[in-house]
Amino acid sequence: MSEDNQQEDFDLKLEIKAHFLAYGIWIVLAVFFYAFVQFLASFEPKTRAKYDDVPVETRLANLPDIFNDFYQRSQDIFREKLPAMKYWNFIWNYQKMSYKLYEFEISEDVMSEQQFDDIYQPRFIAQGWSKIANNPNEYYPRNIVADYTFVDASGHRAFITRPIHNENNPTHWKIYMVENSGIFKYQE
C-alpha cells in the first residue's frame, strides 16, 4: 500500500472513532440529564405525601390569618359542597408582589351552574362580597380565568371558574380567594 492510501485509511478510521466517541458523549449526557430529571421529579410526590395527613387546623395555625378567614368564609358559603381540604389548597407566594391564594375545586356533579346562581352567589353577597365585572386589564394571579369575580370591603378577590374553562380539570369548578396585598386596587 502506498503511503497516501495508508494515511487515508488511518484518517478514515480516526474519523469513525471520533464519530463513535462524539455519539457516546451525547448518549452519556442524555442519560445523565434524563436520570437527573427523574431524580428531581421523585421529590414532589414524596413531599406531597408527607403533608397529605397534616390536618387543616395545623396548616392554618402556621399560616397568616387571612387563610383562616378565607377557609371559614368558604366553609360558610359552600358548607355542604366543600371537599376535604389538603395542605396544598393554601398557597403563599413571595414574588415582586406577594400574594396569598386559597384555592379549591368542586365537582360539577355536586354543583350545577343553576345552583351556583341560585344558592351560592347570594351566600357570597350575604358574606359581604360584591359581584364585580371582570376587568381584562387587572392582574390575575396564576393566569386565572374568571367567569365570576367578587370583592369584599378590604379588596380581597374571589374568582370562580366554571368547569368548561378549567383547563386542568374541565369537570370541576375552580374557586380562588386572593388576598389584596397590593395586587388589586381597593374599592372606591
Side-chain angles (χ1 to χ4, degrees), residues 86-136:
K86 297 284 188 184
Y87 186 88
W88 304 102
N89 292 118
F90 307 95
I91 300 168
W92 184 6
N93 284 342
Y94 296 99
Q95 294 177 344
K96 288 182 181 177
M97 286 193 267
S98 104
Y99 64 90
K100 296 167 187 80
L101 175 75
Y102 169 57
E103 64 178 287
F104 56 94
E105 292 187 352
I106 298 175
S107 170
E108 71 180 342
D109 296 335
V110 176
M111 183 173 72
S112 69
E113 192 162 346
Q114 188 66 43
Q115 286 176 315
F116 181 79
D117 291 338
D118 295 343
I119 299 169
Y120 299 102
Q121 279 196 64
R123 285 186 186 173
F124 265 101
I125 292 166
Q127 285 282 324
W129 298 89
S130 302
K131 187 175 178 186
I132 60 172
N134 293 336
N135 182 354

Side-chain angles (χ1 to χ4, degrees), residues 34-78:
Y34 176 78
F36 185 67
V37 167
Q38 293 302 317
F39 172 73
L40 290 178
S42 71
F43 283 114
E44 183 181 359
K46 290 177 188 172
T47 305
R48 284 187 181 255
K50 175 181 173 185
Y51 292 108
D52 263 353
D53 59 352
V54 173
V56 173
E57 294 76 22
T58 304
R59 175 73 170 137
L60 288 171
N62 297 322
L63 290 171
D65 292 337
I66 190 66
F67 285 112
N68 195 26
D69 182 46
F70 284 160
Y71 178 70
Q72 292 306 320
R73 290 167 113 176
S74 67
Q75 289 286 336
D76 292 341
I77 295 168
F78 297 102

